[in-house]
Amino acid sequence: MEQLLLWRWSTLLQITSLVMIALFFLVLSLSTKRTEFKPWVLAWLANLTCLLITVIYWLTTPTSTLMFKLSAGSYVFSKTLFLLLLLKGLQRFLGRSYSALKYYNLVIISGVIALLAMIIIPSISWLGAFQSGVICITLTTGAVMAMRSNQSILIWLAVGLAARATLAFLESLSFTASILNPQLYDSTVSLFLSAHSSFDSAAEWWIALGCVLTLYQTIQKELTITCENLIKVKDELQELVDLDELTGLGNRRILRQVLDKAKVTGATLFFFDIDNFKELNDKFGHSAGDQCLKLFATALKNSFRPDDHLIRFAGDEFVVVAQSVTPKEMTGRVESTKQYLRTHNKRLPDINFSVGTSYLGIGEEPDQALHEADSKMYSYKTKKQPANSSKQKRKRLEKN
């Protein structure tokens, strides 16, 4: 009588537990709408169906062999389907191909095992030994798969599967022992088998927790990746906004930011202007003019340091901000630019330029230093082209 009461209490506990788990997974699936979560939802519904079949059998206590066979086959089918659905859900979170585990394949496999059970199983004890063995083998396989994946998100699930597999192994041994030697193991084995449903419930809650944590951490990982991708896209878009499309140098929009940083360390400023660029465009065409601008930008890249900021200021004007150095330390950069243009300009018109330099001291006003470099460049240009000085002056006043 005590063992019967213990069995009823243990079974009632497992029923209540599985109803809660199945409902929880069903609601969670509807709320998250994650397709990879579907096998686990179906798995817990199959497990609940399996337990309901057990309860119906014990309440009706059929005496015919046919009813026992049908009940045993239904039980094995539902339980095996539960196990295979767990593995299918695990494989989805492992990121592996699960094409071989279609739902109809799982149903067929479960049906074959259930048919085998109906043929070879003669009693409840043999049914328990048989199904516990299937549980042990299947869940051990799942635990090994989860552990070998080296994914931290699957640790809880792997432990839950291993715990339930261990219990199934002990249950299989207990059923087998009760069959082979009922007198030797009767009291201890019967007590364990009467209470094993409650132990199974604890292990299955652990598996359910592992499933939920796997889903949660997967979603968290995806959100992290999405956030990183958004930041990357933002940086790429910002780079596109801040870069000059033709030359690949920075554009005028980033000059203020560059000068504010240079104000902290000090910097040498270079203001370049290509001589007679309008006439070059008019005579040789805008395509040639664009090629000249590209070549000039390349000359600057090859003549200045990698950390120097190269900016296309406007049209044919370029600014270089060389942080943490004085004009004296940058001696030779302008000549290097001229040399590069002479060496690499094979098919384009000659490219000459004017340049002015200034020094931005630490804490000084950047606009003043930039204006000084611009003025020096203009003075240098007018000395080279005195005939066009008035025209250049008017052009510059209009631009400013």
Side-chain angles (χ1 to χ4, degrees):
M1 178 62 67
E2 292 180 357
Q3 293 178 355
L4 178 61
L5 291 175
L6 181 59
W7 176 85
R8 288 177 177 175
W9 174 83
S10 180
T11 304
L12 180 61
L13 177 64
Q14 190 174 24
I15 292 174
T16 305
S17 175
L18 285 179
V19 169
M20 293 175 63
I21 293 176
L23 289 176
F24 172 78
F25 272 80
L26 185 60
V27 172
L28 185 61
S29 175
L30 293 174
S31 61
T32 59
K33 300 186 184 301
R34 303 280 301 199
T35 56
E36 68 267 41
F37 205 48
K38 182 180 178 181
W40 283 343
V41 177
L42 296 176
W44 291 106
L45 291 175
N47 199 26
L48 178 60
T49 302
C50 175
L51 189 59
L52 291 177
I53 292 171
T54 304
V55 172
I56 292 172
Y57 178 83
W58 286 112
L59 290 176
T60 58
T61 58
T63 56
S64 68
T65 303
L66 177 61
M67 289 304 298
F68 170 75
K69 294 289 186 180
L70 291 175
S71 299
S74 301
Y75 172 83
V76 171
F77 175 82
S78 301
K79 198 70 173 181
T80 305
L81 186 60
F82 160 69
L83 299 170
L84 295 177
L85 286 168
L86 279 182
L87 292 187
K88 181 178 177 67
L90 175 61
Q91 279 197 314
R92 288 194 171 191
F93 280 92
L94 287 174
R96 298 175 183 173
S97 173
Y98 47 88
S99 58
L101 289 177
K102 300 295 185 182
Y103 286 108
Y104 65 84
N105 295 138
L106 305 185
V107 172
I108 292 173
I109 295 172
S110 301
V112 171
I113 295 177
L115 182 61
L116 178 64
M118 293 173 65
I119 295 173
I120 67 174
I121 293 176
S123 66
I124 294 294
S125 295
W126 277 113
L127 175 62
F130 176 85
Q131 189 61 61
S132 295
V134 173
I135 294 172
C136 178
I137 294 172
T138 308
L139 295 189
T140 298
T141 302
V144 171
M145 288 168 56
M147 291 178 180
R148 290 183 62 186
S149 68
N150 295 322
Q151 297 185 34
S152 59
I153 62 175
L154 295 173
I155 293 299
W156 282 94
L157 182 57
V159 173
L161 294 174
R164 183 65 182 91
T166 302
L167 284 174
F169 176 73
L170 295 176
E171 291 162 11
S172 184
L173 286 180
S174 298
F175 278 116
T176 304
S178 66
I179 295 169
L180 298 179
N181 197 336
Q183 296 180 349
L184 179 62
Y185 293 96
D186 185 58
S187 59
T188 304
V189 171
S190 297
L191 183 64
F192 173 74
L193 293 178
S194 298
H196 78 86
S197 293
S198 58
F199 301 137
D200 294 346
S201 296
E204 287 171 353
W205 267 109
W206 198 319
I207 293 174
L209 175 63
C211 294
V212 174
L213 288 177
T214 299
L215 174 65
Y216 166 74
Q217 293 184 31
T218 300
I219 294 175
Q220 185 182 45
K221 183 178 179 180
E222 290 176 354
L223 289 174
T224 301
I225 294 174
T226 301
C227 184
E228 291 174 350
N229 289 337
L230 287 174
I231 293 174
K232 182 179 179 180
V233 170
K234 173 183 172 294
D235 292 340
E236 290 175 351
L237 290 175
Q238 187 64 48
E239 184 177 348
L240 290 174
V241 170
D242 292 340
L243 286 182
D244 176 61
E245 184 177 357
L246 179 64
T247 63
L249 304 183
N251 58 35
R252 191 168 182 171
R253 278 186 288 268
I254 67 167
L255 181 58
R256 174 53 54 188
Q257 179 183 354
V258 170
L259 291 175
D260 288 340
K261 291 181 179 179
K263 183 179 178 180
V264 178
T265 61
T268 296
L269 274 57
F270 295 81
F271 206 113
F272 291 88
D273 183 279
I274 298 178
D275 297 335
N276 303 316
F277 185 72
K278 184 179 183 304
E279 288 77 3
L280 186 151
N281 255 335
D282 293 340
K283 184 176 181 179
F284 297 98
H286 289 284
S287 178
D290 289 345
Q291 294 302 315
C292 289
L293 291 174
K294 289 181 180 180
L295 179 60
F296 187 77
T298 303
L300 293 178
K301 291 177 184 178
N302 283 272
S303 300
F304 285 85
R305 303 175 305 172
D307 294 336
D308 294 336
H309 299 280
L310 311 178
I311 298 167
R312 185 183 177 190
F313 186 74
D316 59 338
E317 295 179 335
F318 296 80
V319 172
V320 177
V321 180
Q323 288 185 233
S324 306
V325 292
T326 62
K328 185 177 181 180
E329 295 175 273
M330 297 299 289
T331 302
R333 303 290 174 171
V334 173
E335 186 58 35
S336 177
T337 304
K338 293 179 180 179
Q339 182 62 36
Y340 185 93
L341 292 173
R342 286 193 294 266
T343 304
H344 292 81
N345 189 1
K346 303 298 183 182
R347 295 177 297 175
L348 296 172
D350 290 340
I351 302 174
N352 298 305
F353 61 86
S354 301
V355 62
T357 62
S358 66
Y359 180 69
L360 172 63
I362 297 176
E364 293 183 356
E365 180 57 44
D367 289 340
Q368 183 177 349
L370 183 64
H371 179 72
E372 180 183 349
D374 185 20
S375 298
K376 289 182 178 180
M377 181 276 295
Y378 174 69
S379 298
Y380 179 73
K381 181 182 288 287
T382 55
K383 290 179 181 178
K384 291 199 304 179
Q385 301 173 327
N388 296 326
S389 60
S390 297
K391 182 178 179 181
Q392 291 287 341
K393 185 175 182 180
R394 285 196 305 271
K395 175 184 174 183
R396 200 151 196 83
L397 289 173
E398 290 173 359
K399 182 182 68 175
N400 293 330

